Each structure stands twice: as C-alpha cells, then as structure tokens.
Amino acid sequence: MRTYAKPIAAVTGALALASTLTACGGSSAASDEKTVTVYSADGLKGEAGDGWYDKVFKDFEKKTGIKVEYVEGGSGEMVQRALREKSNTQADVIVTLPPFIQQADSKGLLQAYEPQGSDQVSGADKSGDGKWTSVVNNYFGFVHNKKELPAAPKSWEELLDAKYKNKLQYSTPGVAGDGTAVLIKAMHDFGGQEPAMEYLKKLQANNVGPSSSTSKLAPKVDKGELLVANGDVQMNFAQARSMPNLGIWFPAKGAGKPTTFALPYAAGLVDKAPHGENGKKLLDFMLSEQAQREVSAIGGGFPARKDVKPTDANAIELARILDGVEIFEPDWADIDKNLKTYVDAWKSATGS
C-alpha cells in the first residue's frame, strides 16, 4: 500500500425497497416506461423523508412523470447485487462510494454517459471515460456521543482505551463504503498496510462487531449504546437533525493533524439498463444547478459541481467542520486493484 500525503483543498445492511421491482428487467421497458430504478449506497435518503434524494426524486417525477424505484444498501452490497443480475439487469442507475464505483466499472457494470453539468465536476471526481461522475461530494469521518463523551477523541490511539470496550463499532470493510474508508484512512495515517493492521488488531478488543450498513450506527451513537462509530460528513450531518447527540470528528495519528479524504457519492448508468433513457434523464437532473444548490441545504453534503457555491447555513457549518482538517487524496487505482488484498489482511488481523 502506498502512503498518501498529498493535501488537497478542503472544501452503508438490509435492503430497503421503496417499491416493488419488476420481475424481469429485460422486458419491463415496454410495460413500465415511466420508471427508473436506482441502486444506491445509504445516506442521501432521509429517515423522515426529508433527504436530498426525497426532494430530488419528487421533483424529478413532477417534471418528467418518471417514478423512481429505489433500492438501498451498502456500497459493496449494491455492486454485488448488480453483478448477480448482470444477465437480467434490473438497475438503471447505480450510486456508490469509492472504491466501489471503480469496482462496478472494472466489472463491466457501467456504460459511458456524461450527464449535463458533468463538465463542471472536477476531474478527480469523475472517470475519464464517462462511466461515472460524482453527484454529491462528501468526506469520511467519525461520530461520537456528545452527551456521554462531550469532548471528541483526538487520536486513533485514544480509541484503544478500555472505556471504549463494546462502545465502539465500525462498518465492515469490503461491504460498506465507509467501512472500507476506515482501512484507507488507517493505512494513510499509520504509513502503510502492516502498521494499520497492527493497530486495527488491537482496536478489535473494543469493537462491537460487523455492520454491513454504516447508517445504522449513528442511531446507536445518538442513544448512547455506542460512544464512537464511523460514518461520513454528509450522512451524519443530515442525521444530526433528528439525532442531537451526534458530533462529527476526525482522528489523528498521535499528536498529528486530523485527516480525512473525499468520499463522494458517484453515479453511473448501468450497462444494458432496462430504462436507460430514463436513467440518463435522472443523472442530468441530479447534476442540474437546482438539485446541486440543494445538496447542502437539504442533504447536508457538498455540491459536486464546482460552479455551484452555496451560502446557506448548512454550507457554512460544513465548512467549519472541515476547518483545520488535512485532506489527502487516496490512490483509487491502487485501492481498486488491491482491495481484496487489503480486506483479506483486515480479516486476518481482526479475526473477522
């Protein structure tokens, strides 16, 4: 594993099926032309129907008459489901966190399509061949219970303290995007695969155990069942509206600076999508100026378009959360190529 220290500017369980999918993706187009099916990592749909997806899907249906069929799970879970269905495609659009969007591409699940507005997405946040583009920018992070643990831990090393035994949990690497992010950040902060696995082996003494969905951890932190869990800034910021005890923080290595990295929601048009034209329209709509302006105000995230610069209260608070945090850029090509090796090393180190 290469170590990454290139600073750049600061700026996911059970499946939730919103409505019943058609039995056969290949033959549904003629009978059900006014639908589009989205497979997505969790985080953008609100617990109370008040998330960015809720608003975007509602506005999209009102404008086009096309209804969004929504399936949610961990990033890796969504890719694996789409892969199993490759001979009978069900999804039109897939939205996952890195490195799973790259994995979807390398497994032939995506077709090239550059949505309107994608020219305003930075090169690092989209593929060079048009297979995927970020629709919401985001950053990896952790949450703590502000009531039981008023001061957030400052370092990875603090989490080894006995007071965190059975009070700490992170989602499963290789299954959840944010869980995989734990590995990526640890390997960066500790300077490589081996020292990161040595640390995570020690941390396992305090870890509650596996979780395929990161979004299910924040409610446990809010209730005090957990003191600390992993997450991401957008999802946790949005959850905090109904979970007042959530605090976002970023661990450092020892006395160093806290670090994080961009973990955007990246969307691609599925190869042989049963409603491909509808999928294109939805991707265009998600990258429209209107939808992008609502990313922070409604979704608690960061716009993917660099020409959209929100000034709402959420945008100001999100910038404050990242103030003083060093943002590094992972080598996604390396991670995509060696992900299985890193996940296997984590399983071996932690006995998972």
Side-chain angles (χ1 to χ4, degrees), residues 87-151:
S87 62
N88 182 26
T89 309
Q90 302 292 313
D92 299 301
V93 171
I94 190 164
V95 185
T96 71
L97 306 182
F100 295 99
I101 193 68
Q102 290 90 346
Q103 185 183 85
D105 187 10
S106 66
K107 293 184 180 297
L109 293 175
L110 306 178
Q111 60 174 298
Y113 178 67
E114 298 182 9
Q116 295 175 22
S118 61
D119 59 316
Q120 292 296 331
V121 176
S122 297
D125 296 328
K126 61 186 177 183
S127 65
D129 60 1
K131 294 290 185 63
W132 58 267
T133 184
S134 298
V135 291
V136 172
N137 275 343
N138 192 17
Y139 295 86
F140 177 63
F142 282 73
V143 287
H144 69 107
N145 181 293
K146 295 191 294 186
K147 184 178 180 181
E148 302 293 333
L149 193 69

Side-chain angles (χ1 to χ4, degrees), residues 280-340:
K280 292 177 181 178
K281 290 177 183 177
L282 180 59
L283 289 169
D284 291 346
F285 194 83
M286 288 196 287
L287 273 179
S288 66
E289 288 191 45
Q290 173 192 338
Q292 289 290 300
R293 281 195 300 269
E294 296 170 339
V295 166
S296 57
I298 295 175
F302 305 82
R305 288 179 57 153
K306 56 191 177 184
D307 62 335
V308 175
K309 303 183 184 301
T311 57
D312 58 89
N314 282 355
I316 294 169
E317 179 63 14
L318 286 163
R320 187 199 63 78
I321 288 171
L322 288 173
D323 187 37
V325 181
E326 180 183 288
I327 299 176
F328 64 93
E329 185 177 356
D331 184 339
W332 291 114
D334 171 77
I335 294 164
D336 180 39
K337 179 181 177 181
N338 297 301
L339 180 61
K340 185 178 187 302

Side-chain angles (χ1 to χ4, degrees), residues 12 40-47 50-54 70 72-75 95 97 136 138 178 213-216 232-239 241 265 295 298-301:
T12 55
S40 178
D42 47 1
L44 292 175
K45 200 169 193 302
E47 301 263 338
D50 56 354
W52 186 70
Y53 270 165
D54 300 286
Y70 179 70
E72 177 181 284
S75 286
V95 185
L97 306 182
V136 172
N138 192 17
D178 289 322
S213 174
T214 315
S215 66
K216 297 184 183 302
D232 61 67
V233 175
Q234 177 277 324
M235 178 174 65
N236 296 144
F237 188 86
Q239 289 173 317
R241 287 182 297 199
Y265 291 90
V295 166
I298 295 175

Side-chain angles (χ1 to χ4, degrees), residues 201-213:
K201 180 178 181 179
K202 296 175 184 176
L203 186 65
Q204 195 66 10
N206 289 342
N207 188 18
V208 171
S211 173
S212 61
S213 174

Side-chain angles (χ1 to χ4, degrees), residues 26-95:
S27 63
S28 61
S31 61
D32 203 5
E33 293 178 352
K34 285 295 186 179
T35 64
V36 59
T37 299
V38 177
Y39 283 10
S40 178
D42 47 1
L44 292 175
K45 200 169 193 302
E47 301 263 338
D50 56 354
W52 186 70
Y53 270 165
D54 300 286
K55 179 70 162 59
V56 168
F57 293 169
K58 181 180 179 180
D59 290 348
F60 177 70
E61 183 176 0
K62 183 177 181 180
K63 179 180 179 180
T64 66
I66 299 169
K67 181 175 176 57
V68 178
E69 308 283 4
Y70 179 70
V71 184
E72 177 181 284
S75 286
E77 187 179 8
M78 292 295 90
V79 173
Q80 288 304 310
R81 175 163 175 162
L83 191 60
R84 290 194 302 269
E85 298 170 350
K86 200 171 181 182
S87 62
N88 182 26
T89 309
Q90 302 292 313
D92 299 301
V93 171
I94 190 164
V95 185

